[in-house]
Amino acid sequence: MLKYIDTPTIEIFDAVLEKAEIKLFVKREDQNHPFVSGNKWWKLKYNLQEAKKLGHETLLTFGGAFSNHIFATGAAARELGFKSIAIIRGEEILPLNETLAFAESCGMKLHYVTREEYRSKTNPEFIDQLKKRFGDFYLIPEGGTNELAIKGCVEFAHQKLSGIDFDFLCLPVGTGGTMAGIVAGLEGQKTVIGFSVLKNGDFLKEETKRLARDFSGKEFPDWHIETDYHFGGYAKRTNELDQFILRMSQQHKLPLDFVYTGKMVAGVFDLISKNYFPKGSKIVMLHTGGLRL
Ligand SMILES: *Cc1c(COP(=O)(O)O)cnc(C)c1O
C-alpha cells in the first residue's frame, strides 16, 4: 500500500465570500503524499493492488511530457517496488523537464512515440507489440482512468468527504475519471460541479456519465460540468489566470497550478461573484494536487 497522510479541510476568508454570504473551503488532498498526490493517489490505489495480486513486476502507462499521472506512477512504482515504463507522446526534448526528470529518477523507463503511434494507445495490436518489446506488464491507461481508478475515487468520497458538511463539491476535470468516482460516491446527496480544463470539454459530460454508469450501473442526479473556464485549453494560461493564482497564493496561502486547480478555483470565484450559489451555501473545492509544474 502507498503511504497516505490525512489531509485538512481549510476555510477561505475573502471579502467576495462575505458579500455573497458563501462559506468556502478547500480539501487539501494535494497534501496526501509527497509525490503521488491528490486524485492520482486514489486513482492508482486499486490499480497497484491489482498489479501486485496478478503478480506483475512492471507497470506501463501513457502520457504527455507534462503529465502528473506519469510523475505519480513513477513515484508509486518506486515506492512499491515495481519496474515502470512510460510511453511518452512526441519526441524527446533535452534537458528533460521536471516531470520526466523526476519520473526517470524513480527508475521509470521513458519510451517516446510519434503522435500518430500514440493515438494507437488503446489498440490491442499496439499493446501486443509493446509486450513483445518490453515483456509482460500491467497496463494503466492514459491519465490513469479505468474502473479501478473510479473505485478509488468512490472510496475517497465515502471515506474523506462524508465527515464534511457542505452543499457543493467543485473539482477540475481532465478525463472525467475522478469526477465520475466522486459523483458515484456521493450518490446525488450533494451537488458536484466539475470544471473542464480542456477547450472542447463538452464531450466530458457524456464521458463522465458513461464512466459513472459503467461503474455503478446507475445514473446520478445533481452534477454538471462547467466548460467556460479552460482559459484557452489544456495547459494554456492567460494573464488573468496567472494574476488570480498569484492572488490566491499571496492572500490565502493557497498554491494552485495553471493546468488544473487554478482554473477550477478561478471558475468557482467567478460563479460566486455572479451569485450562482444560493446565499448560505457551503462549497468545498477539491485540491486535486499536481503542483509540480
Ligand atoms: C490528473 C489531474 C486531474 C484530472 O483528473 P481526471 O480524473 O483525469 O479528470 C485534475 N487535477 C489534477 C491536479 C490532476 O493531476
Side-chain angles (χ1 to χ4, degrees):
M1 251 288 264
L2 288 173
K3 284 186 209 73
Y4 180 85
I5 305 160
D6 234 332
T7 61
T9 304
I10 310 282
E11 181 161 8
I12 294 178
F13 297 96
D14 194 292
V16 176
L17 306 174
E18 227 169 280
K19 183 158 167 279
E21 295 178 41
I22 295 292
K23 284 202 160 283
L24 183 64
F25 303 83
V26 56
K27 172 69 172 159
R28 290 295 305 269
E29 201 57 20
D30 56 310
Q31 298 177 336
N32 65 5
H33 189 289
F35 307 115
V36 192
S37 85
N39 62 339
K40 298 303 185 280
W41 193 98
W42 295 96
K43 291 179 80 170
L44 284 169
K45 175 180 177 181
Y46 286 104
N47 277 292
L48 296 165
Q49 278 187 16
E50 183 74 3
K52 271 259 157 27
K53 198 172 91 191
L54 297 174
H56 286 284
E57 291 175 2
T58 305
L59 309 175
L60 180 140
T61 193
F62 294 87
F66 294 92
S67 164
N68 292 336
H69 166 67
I70 295 289
F71 186 103
T73 305
R78 177 180 61 181
E79 184 174 324
L80 299 182
F82 290 104
K83 293 179 194 143
S84 62
I85 301 165
I87 309 298
I88 307 292
R89 181 181 56 226
E91 277 168 39
E92 180 177 34
I93 296 172
L94 293 171
L96 293 178
N97 69 29
E98 247 188 282
T99 302
L100 296 184
F102 174 80
E104 205 173 65
S105 78
C106 293
M108 194 171 221
K109 207 191 277 178
L110 306 179
H111 178 71
Y112 298 84
V113 297
T114 63
R115 281 159 198 274
E116 295 79 73
E117 280 182 285
Y118 190 86
R119 258 177 249 133
S120 316
K121 60 190 182 285
T122 58
N123 178 337
E125 278 166 40
F126 182 60
I127 306 293
D128 272 348
Q129 279 176 24
L130 291 173
K131 287 202 169 148
K132 288 206 183 88
R133 172 157 190 167
F134 296 113
D136 198 27
F137 51 75
Y138 181 81
L139 178 77
I140 305 177
E142 179 187 47
T145 290
N146 60 13
E147 208 171 308
L148 291 175
I150 293 170
K151 179 176 173 178
C153 294
V154 168
E155 184 177 278
F156 166 74
H158 288 166
Q159 285 188 3
K160 307 294 175 182
L161 297 177
S162 60
I164 310 174
D165 174 27
F166 65 96
D167 307 297
F168 295 90
L169 186 92
C170 298
L171 75 159
V173 178
T175 65
T178 304
M179 174 97 183
I182 285 176
V183 164
L186 294 176
E187 296 184 69
Q189 302 296 306
K190 315 277 182 186
T191 303
V192 184
I193 307 178
F195 291 77
S196 168
V197 302
L198 311 179
K199 190 172 191 168
N200 296 305
D202 273 330
F203 79 96
L204 287 169
K205 300 170 184 175
E206 271 311 307
E207 180 64 5
T208 301
K209 191 200 276 186
R210 184 185 67 80
L211 289 167
R213 191 198 313 113
D214 286 357
F215 178 81
S216 62
K218 282 188 261 178
E219 290 199 5
F220 300 97
D222 278 330
W223 65 271
H224 76 274
I225 297 181
E226 295 283 336
T227 52
D228 287 339
Y229 297 101
H230 56 73
F231 294 87
Y234 182 70
K236 297 277 195 309
R237 61 210 289 185
T238 62
N239 264 334
E240 181 200 358
L241 179 64
D242 288 346
Q243 288 300 317
F244 179 81
I245 289 172
L246 189 65
R247 174 163 102 80
M248 287 297 119
S249 153
Q250 289 174 341
Q251 284 183 17
H252 301 299
K253 296 195 167 50
L254 181 61
L256 301 170
D257 75 276
F258 63 85
V259 182
Y260 290 108
T261 51
K263 292 178 180 181
M264 178 269 292
V265 177
V268 172
F269 270 78
D270 188 61
L271 290 178
I272 290 171
S273 73
K274 292 175 171 157
N275 295 316
Y276 173 86
F277 299 99
K279 285 193 189 331
S281 297
K282 294 194 185 81
I283 306 168
V284 172
M285 302 186 291
L286 177 59
H287 199 311
T288 44
L291 292 168
R292 241 154 277 278
L293 280 164

